[in-house]
Amino acid sequence: FDCCEMFRGTGNWTSVHASRGLTCHDGFDVDGRRLRCGDLASRSVFAELIGLAARGVVREWHAGLPCVSFGTLRRPQVRSKAKPYGFNPKDPFTAYHNLLAMRTAFILTVAVMLGQFISVEQPRNSRLFLLNCFKTLVQLGCVISHFAFCAFGSGFQKASKWLHNKPWLIPLECSCRCPKTKPHFIIQDRKSVV
């Protein structure tokens, strides 16, 4: 495969690659939108992904790990910069997200060590890359690039950071340069709208 997307969601990353003629793995997610879905918490799905990485049959990986526990919007927060594995790592919610993070990092570490390209997308304030397993990827040569979606035409800012070993992403790094007279579109839930 030219590429494989973990935590595919809507699959925009995969769709764009497929539209350019690349051979894309169906990807992995728990959303059930495809005939086949898989939760990385499952040992069999984890083994399948490790197998793909170890056999070198995927050229490029992308992971959009759920940031619900690693981001700063959740209340109450379950982790901090000082405690990236969580205030209570045994709490089922925190433990589940730690498991997904560690398995993702392990798969991507195998991929990097075998010469494959990887990227992991997170919001700017995510604590995911503070976990030791992601710091290992940095020690293996990966870098963290920062992007603002508004610089690419989005109506909202969405500051994002990607851990990757893809040199073609470096020139795309950017921050918001929108004029203060043109405010960003604000995304909020229905409960906060009066």
Side-chain angles (χ1 to χ4, degrees):
F1 300 98
D2 292 308
C3 54
C4 180
E5 186 174 7
M6 295 188 290
F7 308 101
R8 181 175 167 163
T10 58
N12 290 334
W13 188 87
T14 298
S15 299
V16 168
H17 283 74
S19 74
R20 302 294 187 262
L22 299 175
T23 304
C24 301
H25 189 282
D26 190 41
F28 292 86
D29 207 344
V30 294
D31 63 10
R33 291 184 198 157
R34 286 164 294 285
L35 292 174
R36 184 175 179 282
C37 65
D39 185 355
L40 191 52
S42 160
R43 286 181 185 218
S44 63
V45 171
F46 178 56
E48 182 178 346
L49 284 162
I50 285 290
L52 289 172
R55 291 193 331 264
V57 296
V58 175
R59 182 178 305 149
E60 182 180 351
W61 295 82
H62 182 72
L65 235 95
C67 60
V68 64
S69 117
F70 292 98
T72 56
L73 295 178
R74 186 184 195 285
R75 298 290 184 260
Q77 292 189 16
V78 296
R79 59 185 86 236
S80 67
K81 286 182 178 180
K83 295 192 177 269
Y85 284 95
F87 304 126
N88 178 6
K90 293 182 180 180
D91 168 67
F93 177 81
T94 306
Y96 175 74
H97 286 95
N98 284 345
L99 175 68
L100 295 179
M102 289 184 286
R103 286 186 172 184
T104 299
F106 187 81
I107 292 161
L108 297 179
T109 298
V110 170
V112 166
M113 292 179 74
L114 294 173
Q116 299 157 41
F117 293 107
I118 64 114
S119 57
V120 183
E121 178 183 357
Q122 285 290 287
R124 174 183 55 201
N125 294 323
S126 170
R127 284 103 181 207
L128 180 71
F129 300 150
L130 298 174
L131 299 178
N132 289 333
C133 51
F134 285 95
K135 289 180 178 180
T136 298
L137 284 164
V138 172
Q139 292 173 342
L140 291 172
C142 292
V143 296
I144 296 176
S145 293
H146 296 268
F147 308 97
F149 282 30
C150 57
F152 299 97
S154 173
F156 62 102
Q157 184 179 11
K158 191 177 179 185
S160 179
K161 62 182 175 183
W162 290 32
L163 184 144
H164 65 91
N165 66 346
K166 300 174 179 178
W168 58 89
L169 292 180
I170 303 285
L172 300 175
E173 292 179 341
C174 61
S175 58
C176 174
R177 294 187 192 103
C178 297
K180 298 215 184 280
T181 57
K182 187 179 175 189
H184 294 107
F185 178 74
I186 298 173
I187 299 174
Q188 58 192 122
D189 64 18
R190 299 173 92 183
K191 294 176 189 173
S192 58
V193 178
V194 180

